[in-house]
Amino acid sequence: MTEHNNVQTLNQFIIERQSDHPGAKGELSRLLHHVGIAAKIVNRAVNKAGLVDILGEHGDQNVQGEDQQKLDVFADTHFIDALKASGECAAVASEENEDIIIFEDEMAKNAKYVFCMDPLDGSSNIDVNVSIGTIFSIFERVTPRGQVATMEDFLQEGTKQVAAGYVIYGSSTMLVYTTGNGVNGFTLDPSIGEFCLSHPNIKTPKSGTIYSINEGNYINFPQGVKKYIKYCQEKDARSKRPFTSRYIGSLVADFHRNLLKGGIFIYPQTNKNPDGKLRLTYECNPVAFIAEQAGGMATNGDIRILEIKPDSIHQRVPFYTGSTNMVKKTEEFLHFFNNI
């Protein structure tokens, strides 16, 4: 029998933390509540994926030219529906859609926030039962309330995020988020159908022993990244090297492990992708916000991720994030070899 005494649910936590934001009227709390609902719907689908016709390719490609998986489309649809139902979201930017999705009803026109998301990160891993996730970011709109949102509302620096988080659908389902006052993690308790506080005030170690990068692309990496990988593989007892290489191929899963254990995640620019491959608005910005709030770092190898002003919602950037000392060491290699 599961013990539920003194368990704090996500909704209780959100309401209690509302006082962190002077002038808050509950709009962000309601929006985050609906994010939790959508996460539970997607989690149920992920858990049933092998039993129903939801695995495999949908037959279309998304704006990135990637084959859409059926579960990608399912997650995208249900998050959009939940956000619209909240009445607190004016528009959505999603990896799965080329243009922003604007809600035109009166409640949405008066909504305070816009929402950016990768509805199902790592979806190429769906068919092989590897952890996948949802990444999201929330901004206050800059256009006047009372009219429809525009692209201007989305092209803001990451420093202006009011909340960001991710959901990881794995051996257990976790929702991790920040509103700029630390990072907290909630694990879904299936016996009561609620996300419960399991990882309060997450702090990432200043140094770690894990590096996460797709070494299959080694030949195409900048020289500084190649040298850093070799540094990670050298033997040095003082710095606890050689480090351990761990790469799942799902940003949420790789980042989550490194956040808790200490490590660095690297997706650099390559010969094939000179601007990097991960998207700034709905992948790197939210993860960077969480990393910094947990005491870590996130850069493009030279500039703090949260200070980059996007020029499009699907803009790509190189991404280096994780334990502060490891990110700084990587930047030293990049700057020394003049690859930035």
Side-chain angles (χ1 to χ4, degrees), residues 81 120 180 279 323 326:
D81 288 348
L120 210 62
R279 273 66 54 144
S323 297
M326 299 181 81

mmCIF file of all heavy atoms in Angstrom, residues 81 120 180 279 323 326:
data_model
loop_
_atom_site.group_PDB
_atom_site.id
_atom_site.type_symbol
_atom_site.label_atom_id
_atom_site.label_comp_id
_atom_site.label_asym_id
_atom_site.label_seq_id
_atom_site.Cartn_x
_atom_site.Cartn_y
_atom_site.Cartn_z
ATOM 1 N N ASP A 81 -4.279 21.307 -27.140
ATOM 2 C CA ASP A 81 -5.656 21.298 -26.615
ATOM 3 C C ASP A 81 -5.694 21.740 -25.154
ATOM 4 O O ASP A 81 -6.561 22.513 -24.743
ATOM 5 C CB ASP A 81 -6.271 19.900 -26.748
ATOM 6 C CG ASP A 81 -6.599 19.531 -28.191
ATOM 7 O OD1 ASP A 81 -6.561 20.435 -29.053
ATOM 8 O OD2 ASP A 81 -6.873 18.340 -28.452
ATOM 9 N N LEU A 120 7.544 16.158 -28.035
ATOM 10 C CA LEU A 120 8.087 14.831 -27.753
ATOM 11 C C LEU A 120 9.534 14.751 -28.218
ATOM 12 O O LEU A 120 9.826 14.354 -29.349
ATOM 13 C CB LEU A 120 7.233 13.738 -28.408
ATOM 14 C CG LEU A 120 7.239 12.415 -27.634
ATOM 15 C CD1 LEU A 120 6.652 12.588 -26.237
ATOM 16 C CD2 LEU A 120 6.448 11.358 -28.366
ATOM 17 N N GLY A 180 12.137 30.446 -11.902
ATOM 18 C CA GLY A 180 13.179 31.414 -11.593
ATOM 19 C C GLY A 180 13.528 31.474 -10.123
ATOM 20 O O GLY A 180 14.259 32.361 -9.691
ATOM 21 N N ARG A 279 17.246 23.360 -31.270
ATOM 22 C CA ARG A 279 16.528 24.604 -31.460
ATOM 23 C C ARG A 279 16.596 25.475 -30.200
ATOM 24 O O ARG A 279 16.387 24.992 -29.082
ATOM 25 C CB ARG A 279 15.064 24.325 -31.803
ATOM 26 C CG ARG A 279 14.815 24.117 -33.276
ATOM 27 C CD ARG A 279 15.441 22.878 -33.872
ATOM 28 N NE ARG A 279 15.095 21.641 -33.196
ATOM 29 C CZ ARG A 279 14.903 20.479 -33.805
ATOM 30 N NH1 ARG A 279 15.056 20.381 -35.100
ATOM 31 N NH2 ARG A 279 14.604 19.407 -33.112
ATOM 32 N N SER A 323 27.306 20.820 -15.644
ATOM 33 C CA SER A 323 28.089 21.276 -14.495
ATOM 34 C C SER A 323 29.009 22.432 -14.897
ATOM 35 O O SER A 323 29.705 22.362 -15.918
ATOM 36 C CB SER A 323 28.922 20.113 -13.940
ATOM 37 O OG SER A 323 28.073 19.086 -13.458
ATOM 38 N N MET A 326 32.719 21.940 -15.894
ATOM 39 C CA MET A 326 32.898 21.183 -17.132
ATOM 40 C C MET A 326 32.595 22.047 -18.357
ATOM 41 O O MET A 326 33.291 21.972 -19.373
ATOM 42 C CB MET A 326 32.025 19.929 -17.112
ATOM 43 C CG MET A 326 32.367 18.976 -15.972
ATOM 44 S SD MET A 326 31.366 17.472 -15.966
ATOM 45 C CE MET A 326 32.233 16.478 -17.198
#
